[in-house]
Amino acid sequence: MKKNENREPLCDDIAGKDCGLKRVIDTVGGKWKIMILCVIDRNEIVRYGELRRSIHGITNTMLANSLKELEADGLVERKQYDEMPVRVEYNLTEKTKTLIPILLELKKWGEGNL
Amino acid sequence: MKKNENREPLCDDIAGKDCGLKRVIDTVGGKWKIMILCVIDRNEIVRYGELRRSIHGITNTMLANSLKELEADGLVERKQYDEMPVRVEYNLTEKTKTLIPILLELKKWGEGNL
């Protein structure tokens, strides 16, 4: 097979853990996490209950697990205010804010091509 | 919740079928399809058997189904040469070539942030 040697390959190591694209897909792939990032991006700071109501079809378990993983990966920040009832708010981290413009490009590509 | 009204929202309609980002995720989301696009991008033209050997862990069924869907969505082209044995080759379509630079940005983001 002819190699595209003159330009940067998309993946040097297909399926390898060192591929940055694979890491992105593993981390935010799947529709729930992208949707969660969308809702937080649109609103800057979002309460748990607002997220739950904004994403049709998501269960409490899926939302709670997705948020825990996004927090562990440093993509969202969780802030808990010890009021009564307890208030929990989520916002995007700085590094996630640099991901948003790339997702916007993907979105435009999808609108034009799919 | 405070709205990010001064800039383009990532998704107007969360989970809506009209969101271009959701269409991209639905179309190439999941690790196999991205990997298939990676291998074809790297080699320009790839035979079925080469794809099968390049992607560790993929089964014949998953590869064949993924390729059929990618072809139906206009992302890859399949060319069959009626030799003995039959030769089947795949290449990226022009619109997919415009997706690759965005995937490269995602890859770089992943390398720097995950």
Side-chain angles (χ1 to χ4, degrees), chain A residues 28-42:
Chain A
V28 298
K31 66 176 178 172
W32 297 122
K33 285 186 183 173
I34 288 281
M35 279 186 217
I36 292 167
L37 297 182
C38 285
V39 178
I40 305 178
D41 170 66
R42 202 174 43 170

Side-chain angles (χ1 to χ4, degrees), chain A residues 2 4 7 9-12 23-25 38 41-44 95 98 105-107 109 113-114, chain B residues 2 4 7 9-12 23-24 34 38 41-44 95 98 105-107 109 113-114:
Chain A
K2 199 168 87 181
N4 261 341
R7 58 191 181 80
L10 193 50
C11 280
D12 302 298
R23 269 183 267 162
V24 173
I25 295 167
C38 285
D41 170 66
R42 202 174 43 170
N43 301 286
E44 284 190 41
K95 74 177 181 183
T98 64
E105 280 189 70
L106 263 189
K107 180 192 172 190
W109 185 89
N113 293 285
L114 294 177
Chain B
K2 199 168 87 181
N4 262 339
R7 59 192 179 82
L10 193 51
C11 282
D12 302 299
R23 269 183 267 161
V24 173
I34 288 280
C38 284
D41 169 66
R42 203 174 42 171
N43 300 287
E44 281 189 42
K95 75 177 181 184
T98 64
E105 280 189 69
L106 263 190
K107 179 191 173 193
W109 185 89
N113 292 284
L114 293 177

Side-chain angles (χ1 to χ4, degrees), chain B residues 11-40:
Chain B
C11 282
D12 302 299
D13 178 17
I14 305 298
K17 64 174 170 23
D18 290 335
C19 175
L21 185 57
K22 184 169 189 319
R23 269 183 267 161
V24 173
I25 295 167
D26 287 348
T27 308
V28 298
K31 64 175 178 173
W32 298 121
K33 285 186 182 173
I34 288 280
M35 280 187 215
I36 292 167
L37 296 182
C38 284
V39 178
I40 304 178

Side-chain angles (χ1 to χ4, degrees), chain A residues 41-84:
Chain A
D41 170 66
R42 202 174 43 170
N43 301 286
E44 284 190 41
I45 295 167
V46 188
R47 291 196 195 189
Y48 182 89
E50 289 169 328
L51 273 171
R52 178 89 168 79
R53 283 188 298 276
S54 299
I55 304 172
H56 307 292
I58 198 164
T59 63
N60 258 323
T61 306
M62 286 189 287
L63 179 55
N65 288 347
S66 298
L67 283 168
K68 265 179 209 157
E69 288 173 15
L70 287 170
E71 198 190 348
D73 288 324
L75 295 175
V76 305
E77 264 175 357
R78 178 185 189 276
K79 283 179 190 152
Q80 182 170 326
Y81 299 90
D82 291 327
E83 305 165 354
M84 287 298 278

